[in-house]
Amino acid sequence: MLRTDKNKIFLEGNLREETRSALVCIYQLIQKLGYQDVVLDFSGATYVDAGMMLPIASYAAYYRKNQIDFSLVEPADPVLQRLFINTNWAHFIDPQKYALNNRRRSNNLPVLQFQDGDAQFDVVNRAMEILMETIKVQERKQLKALEWALNEITDNVLNHAESPIGGLVQIQSFPSKNRVSFYVADAGLGIPSTLRKAIAGISSDSDALDRAIREGVTRNKATNQGNGLYGTFKCCEESSGSFLILSNHAVLRYDSKGLSVKTDNVPFRGSFISATINYSTEGLLEKAFVFGGKIHEPTNDFIDMHYSHVEDKILFEVSKEVEGFGSREFGRRARSKIDNILVDKNNSILFDFGGIPLISSSFADEVFGKLFAELGAMEFMRRCEFRSVDATVKRLIDRAISQRMKESN
């Protein structure tokens, strides 16, 4: 439920379907009533999500550049209060009060801003680092599909949006459901406005969004192929995920009910894209990335770019790849990365333990005991090699493997 009192918006209860209502309230307070400061009071909120908060954050960032102040009243619920801070929703609404949080939160990347190519590259790499640690794919092409989609929808902001705030991006992974959600918002011209510069005959904003997810549609064919939104949409469609675009006077939505495009009376300033992909879909890349009748497979993916090689093995520098060595949780994250490297049957790994004097028994078992049990002795010896291993660390790894061997006999 939403209500206003002067310059204050009260956002209360379960706000799952209240995104547009919140944006309308902000629009009316500033554009219609002329307030120069807006208070967003979430003290009575019981549920919010990124689909609501990222658009609000982009509005706050945009209007702040135009001398409109925003302030936040935190949720009374302590769990929700921490969520606002950990995800950076609080920071982008009220940066004077809340510092930017650069730390990952569980399986998620908090909201980060990118305003140039270097920042966009960094955001995508940080997102892939988290995905490598939290999800497990059945084939490397599934990771490539996720990386390509995220690259494209963030790159579109820089190439087309002309957004004064650049873009805001947030990533959530749901390993138990084999799903990843990307959220990207900007405060630029909007997709309909940019497409009208290149395509004659666009009848409405909703017509523009419908065209935007078609193959080869772009405002500049000299520099872009126009497959970014199309390929991302196809990833969502082929994997029975969901896809949403808010831009100018239109809303495009794809979910289990199918595709719909509608006109909205109150415009969304810029664009907001939400894409949820089931990465476990077999043949996802081959199904989604068919451009010009040919399957497109991205080259030089995150694994290629992030890891160096020693002879025929991928170098896994443990001190750089793992945050800690004292718990099974840190072991689980490391093991996820290793699994996603070894999912390519041609890959083998050189584990460099330089600079690591000690690991816990639970870490050793979670990573190497379980890996040995899964691969089997011959495959483990063929695909896993170690160097610079402290004697104590080696004993702990050997013991973890020995215990797993006994369990299997």
Side-chain angles (χ1 to χ4, degrees):
M1 182 181 75
L2 277 74
R3 57 188 177 87
T4 60
D5 182 9
K6 297 180 181 178
N7 69 329
K8 198 168 190 177
I9 303 173
F10 296 88
L11 301 101
E12 301 168 332
N14 186 327
L15 299 167
R16 187 183 300 271
E17 302 295 333
E18 299 289 354
T19 302
R20 294 299 286 165
S21 298
L23 299 179
V24 168
C25 286
I26 293 171
Y27 176 85
Q28 289 177 334
L29 289 186
I30 296 171
Q31 302 294 339
K32 302 293 186 182
L33 300 179
Y35 284 107
Q36 298 294 300
D37 59 321
V38 175
V39 179
L40 300 178
D41 187 335
F42 285 90
S43 59
T46 58
Y47 177 88
V48 297
D49 58 22
M52 178 182 195
M53 296 308 302
L54 206 65
I56 289 176
S58 74
Y59 266 44
Y62 169 80
Y63 280 118
R64 190 174 300 107
K65 278 188 168 291
N66 291 276
Q67 312 307 313
I68 307 293
D69 290 328
F70 276 72
S71 56
L72 172 70
V73 178
E74 299 173 359
D77 182 319
V79 174
L80 206 54
Q81 186 180 106
R82 288 194 297 273
L83 182 64
F84 267 67
I85 294 170
N86 291 337
T87 57
N88 279 333
W89 297 339
H91 169 76
F92 282 102
I93 292 171
D94 194 346
Q96 290 186 326
K97 184 177 178 182
Y98 301 94
L100 182 70
N101 167 35
N102 271 309
R103 293 178 59 83
R104 58 175 284 172
R105 176 185 168 271
S106 184
N107 299 336
N108 307 324
L109 181 73
V111 181
L112 296 177
Q113 187 173 22
F114 60 97
Q115 293 185 281
D116 56 35
D118 289 340
Q120 183 238 359
F121 179 80
D122 181 61
V123 163
V124 172
N125 279 348
R126 291 182 64 179
M128 292 308 299
E129 182 85 14
I130 288 175
L131 295 184
M132 286 282 289
E133 290 185 358
T134 56
I135 70 174
K136 183 175 180 178
V137 295
Q138 288 75 47
E139 54 183 9
R140 183 168 167 180
K141 290 180 180 179
Q142 293 166 338
L143 276 175
K144 286 186 176 184
L146 294 175
E147 184 179 2
W148 186 92
L150 180 57
N151 255 316
E152 290 294 324
I153 58 176
T154 51
D155 190 55
N156 276 348
V157 173
L158 300 180
N159 284 331
H160 302 299
E162 300 180 32
S163 171
I165 66 165
L168 302 181
V169 60
Q170 183 176 355
I171 316 295
Q172 294 179 314
S173 67
F174 306 92
S176 63
K177 298 179 180 179
N178 295 325
R179 289 178 177 250
V180 170
S181 293
F182 303 141
Y183 307 92
V184 178
D186 67 68
L189 301 176
I191 294 170
S193 297
T194 60
L195 283 185
R196 281 193 177 93
K197 293 182 178 182
I199 302 174
I202 290 179
S203 60
S204 63
D205 287 359
S206 56
D207 178 37
L209 291 196
D210 185 67
R211 296 192 191 205
I213 61 167
R214 307 305 172 185
E215 183 180 358
V217 175
T218 179
R219 77 164 181 171
N220 190 346
K221 287 190 177 291
T223 58
N224 300 94
Q225 294 179 319
N227 290 325
L229 283 178
Y230 168 72
T232 304
F233 167 71
K234 292 299 290 184
C235 274
C236 300
E237 182 184 42
E238 294 290 348
S239 68
S240 299
S242 61
F243 190 71
L244 172 72
I245 304 177
L246 306 179
S247 192
N248 297 165
H249 284 276
V251 180
L252 181 147
R253 186 186 306 273
Y254 174 82
D255 54 25
S256 59
K257 297 177 183 178
L259 179 67
S260 65
V261 190
K262 297 180 180 179
T263 298
D264 201 320
N265 291 331
V266 177
F268 181 87
R269 181 176 293 279
S271 300
F272 170 67
I273 296 173
S274 167
T276 297
I277 300 169
N278 182 337
Y279 54 82
S280 67
T281 303
E282 187 175 352
L284 175 61
L285 187 148
E286 292 87 346
K287 293 175 180 176
F289 297 164
V290 181
F291 308 140
K294 297 179 180 179
I295 296 172
H296 169 71
E297 182 174 348
T299 57
N300 295 325
D301 64 357
F302 177 81
I303 292 176
D304 290 325
M305 300 293 289
H306 184 73
Y307 296 98
S308 58
H309 285 73
V310 175
E311 296 178 350
D312 62 339
K313 288 183 167 56
I314 289 176
L315 178 61
F316 193 93
E317 297 181 82
V318 181
S319 63
K320 296 180 180 179
E321 295 295 327
V322 183
E323 288 185 67
F325 307 94
S327 71
R328 196 169 286 276
E329 171 58 22
F330 284 126
R332 185 196 63 75
R333 294 183 192 176
R335 174 65 193 285
S336 179
K337 281 186 178 181
I338 294 163
D339 284 343
N340 285 323
I341 293 171
L342 293 178
V343 73
D344 185 334
K345 302 302 181 185
N346 295 318
N347 285 345
S348 54
I349 297 181
L350 172 60
F351 294 100
D352 186 331
F353 272 84
I356 301 173
L358 188 64
I359 60 175
S360 69
S361 296
S362 60
F363 179 91
D365 177 61
E366 187 66 30
V367 180
F368 299 106
K370 289 185 176 181
L371 184 61
F372 182 91
E374 182 175 308
L375 292 178
M378 294 298 293
E379 192 74 355
F380 183 88
M381 292 172 64
R382 183 181 73 84
R383 303 183 70 189
C384 301
E385 186 178 325
F386 296 81
R387 78 177 185 190
S388 304
V389 186
D390 179 89
T392 301
V393 173
K394 187 176 186 304
R395 282 195 298 271
L396 288 165
I397 292 174
D398 289 345
R399 183 192 303 166
I401 290 173
S402 177
Q403 290 174 339
R404 288 288 171 177
M405 288 177 65
K406 290 177 182 178
E407 290 176 6
S408 63
N409 293 332

